[in-house]
Amino acid sequence: LAAIVESSDDAIISRDLERRVLTWNAAAQRLFGYTAAEVIGRDISFLIPADLQADAVQKRELLNQGQRIPSSDTVRLGKDGRRIDVSMTQSPILDAGGRMTGVSITFRDITERKRAEMALRESEEKFRQLANNIPEAFWITDVEQKRPIYISPAFESMSGRTLPEKLENPHFWLRIVHPDDRRRVHAMRRGLPDGDYDIEYRVVRPDGTFRWVRDRAFP
């Protein structure tokens, strides 16, 4: 069991009821920068940032009641003072009689996952700004449900209709196509199941005026 813990890629630490570190595996040293000799017997609160001390107290109270704290994302401090994003799981250690004698804590480094999430949020924000500011109307349609899942704001100024009207009715766009163009547009869309087409036609606005549009689609 000791060999398994020591070879784990996750940092595995145990502490006693007074919060003193009892064990510290090699992964904990790699993650936090402290050797086992530096931390054994030390109060484990040195890992907890000041702004998360209150949260740690709440979880400690649950542990003292014998509850396991499921995996959750949090932050801990490295030896150099940097904040490290980790996923943490805490479990009470019980003796043969069922009495709690300590706590086992497992940490997994999620720094790369957090970076990926941040990059995704930044990418989505750039997309949102682009979509909200270009004059062309565009939308994304779910292929299986054949319903729009995103429509850019320019749709309203071009068609004279609100976004909810199109979102609530997947066939709404075809209904506002000029009657003289509707059959041609319908045939074009139906004849290209992969959703790849390029066609020009008119759409009728609520006031009776119409707009010429170039409609291009791609999978």
Side-chain angles (χ1 to χ4, degrees), residues 21 37 55 58 64 94 108 111-112 131 161 194 216:
V21 176
D55 178 69
Q58 292 179 351
N64 290 339
L94 308 177
R108 175 166 295 178
T111 302
E112 291 304 316
R161 271 80 172 185
D194 62 355
R216 292 176 291 174

Side-chain angles (χ1 to χ4, degrees), residues 8-13 25-33 71-78 80 82-89 105-117:
S8 172
D9 288 333
D10 292 335
I12 301 175
I13 302 168
N25 73 345
Q29 178 174 333
R30 291 193 298 271
L31 181 60
F32 298 115
S71 178
S72 61
D73 293 353
T74 187
V75 175
R76 288 298 181 261
L77 297 175
D80 57 4
R82 65 189 176 92
R83 295 170 68 93
I84 305 171
D85 291 308
V86 295
S87 175
M88 180 178 69
T89 303
I105 312 171
T106 302
F107 296 98
R108 175 166 295 178
D109 188 351
I110 58 171
T111 302
E112 291 304 316
R113 194 192 81 195
K114 287 292 185 179
R115 287 175 180 168
E117 290 173 353

Side-chain angles (χ1 to χ4, degrees), residues 5 29 44 53 56 87-88 100 111 121 123 140-142 144 158 162 166 190 192 201 210:
V5 171
Q29 178 174 333
I44 200 170
Q53 290 288 345
S87 175
M88 180 178 69
M100 182 174 170
T111 302
R121 284 194 296 270
S123 176
I140 302 171
T141 302
D142 182 284
E144 294 182 357
M158 182 183 69
T162 64
K166 179 164 176 56
R190 186 176 56 184
L192 296 170
Y201 54 86
F210 64 84

Side-chain angles (χ1 to χ4, degrees), residues 167-214:
L167 286 170
E168 293 167 4
N169 187 341
H171 303 295
F172 171 77
W173 183 253
L174 192 59
R175 293 179 182 178
I176 70 172
V177 173
H178 193 288
D180 294 345
D181 299 335
R182 193 170 297 158
R183 178 176 295 181
R184 178 169 58 91
V185 173
H186 181 64
M188 170 70 76
R189 291 188 170 188
R190 186 176 56 184
L192 296 170
D194 62 355
D196 191 352
Y197 60 81
D198 188 338
I199 186 173
E200 294 182 358
Y201 54 86
R202 292 162 290 180
V203 294
V204 182
R205 294 165 57 86
D207 60 4
T209 62
F210 64 84
R211 295 285 188 274
W212 277 99
V213 298
R214 182 182 182 188

